[in-house]
Amino acid sequence: MPGWLQAGGWGLLAGSALLVGAALGYLARIPQRIIASIMAFGAGVLLSAVAFELFAEADEQAGLLPTALGAVGGAVVYTGCNVLLARRGARHRKRSGGQQPSEAEQGGSGTALALGALLDGVPESIVIGTSLLGGGAISVVTVAAVFISNVPEGLSSAAGMRHAGRSRRYVFTLWAGIALISGLAAVAGYTVLGDAPAAVLAAITALAGGAILAMVADTMIPEAFEDAHLLIGLITVAGFLVAFALSQAG
């Protein structure tokens, strides 16, 4: 099977977890505390994957400087885009309660939410594609971490969209589209960066890691802390250890 097709398939698989989470969040009436706890677990998984997969790989490829520059660049780009989207109604896109504005309360917030979902998901998918470069095997840990964390992301966000009065058609079209774009982003990571030198690949990997870290701190941890703050530490550590165990097994 061609490498680009493998990359797209793995990216689509990881992105499909967003649709699974959205279905649970929109159709089921899951208690806020449970949603917050699942989000804390997903945050722990991503934190571990960034540390032991993305940053460790970038440092091994090119050393500390490209890794650090990429991480800072990713965080800066993500934060800048996030600030712009927040002003247009996407600030609470992963909140499951009544924090998300409806279209009547803030016009254009639906578009901002969609762009915010893209902003959160694309870096993860690009890394999945780049992990196949050079004939290497797919990073099962990265795919598993993204899949596991995408379920609570989709769940919490879709629950919030339901509270904001967004239609079922809007919610499922949005997350199905994001899942598809995740596959395309993985293909882009494989094809566009196929001839890039090791230092560039390391910087891109670290850039994605920095963006993911900023996303976790800005969108996932607040939702987890809101309703599960007394247990968030234990649950986050559990997610961290699950991903760490996968990385050690791999």
Side-chain angles (χ1 to χ4, degrees):
M1 183 183 296
W4 66 268
L5 189 57
Q6 292 184 52
W10 286 112
L12 182 62
L13 174 64
S16 67
L18 289 166
L19 191 57
V20 173
L24 291 172
Y26 194 88
L27 300 176
R29 296 299 189 265
I30 301 174
Q32 296 293 119
R33 186 175 294 273
I34 299 298
I35 294 176
S37 298
I38 296 173
M39 187 66 88
F41 186 87
V45 167
L46 277 182
L47 289 172
S48 183
V50 168
F52 295 108
E53 291 292 313
L54 304 189
F55 286 165
E57 180 184 341
D59 182 63
E60 184 179 341
Q61 285 180 317
L64 178 61
L65 184 58
T67 302
L69 290 175
V72 172
V76 168
V77 170
Y78 176 89
T79 301
C81 294
N82 197 44
V83 167
L84 294 176
L85 291 172
R87 292 173 179 170
R88 289 161 174 78
R91 178 71 182 88
H92 299 296
R93 59 186 175 274
K94 284 193 172 68
R95 305 304 296 274
S96 59
Q99 298 95 336
Q100 291 186 24
S102 66
E103 197 67 27
E105 292 170 329
Q106 185 166 359
S109 57
T111 301
L113 287 169
L115 292 175
L118 276 177
L119 176 66
D120 296 338
V122 166
E124 303 166 344
S125 301
I126 289 175
V127 167
I128 289 174
T130 59
S131 71
L132 281 166
L133 292 176
I138 190 69
S139 173
V140 175
V141 178
T142 301
V143 173
V146 173
F147 188 95
I148 293 170
S149 63
N150 275 349
V151 172
E153 289 184 46
L155 189 157
S156 182
S157 184
M161 291 176 182
R162 186 189 68 226
H163 281 292
R166 302 193 185 279
S167 69
R168 180 179 303 185
R169 182 177 183 178
Y170 171 86
V171 171
F172 287 101
T173 299
L174 170 63
W175 291 113
I178 299 301
L180 178 60
I181 292 172
S182 295
L184 295 176
V187 171
Y190 181 87
T191 56
V192 175
L193 299 172
D195 297 322
V200 173
L201 284 177
I204 294 294
T205 300
L207 186 144
I212 293 169
L213 276 182
M215 182 272 289
V216 170
D218 193 77
T219 64
M220 296 183 74
I221 290 177
E223 170 66 14
F225 184 79
E226 181 74 21
D227 289 297
H229 57 280
L230 294 178
L231 296 176
I232 182 177
L234 289 173
I235 297 170
T236 303
V237 168
F240 187 94
L241 289 175
V242 166
F244 177 69
L246 288 173
S247 69
Q248 295 301 103

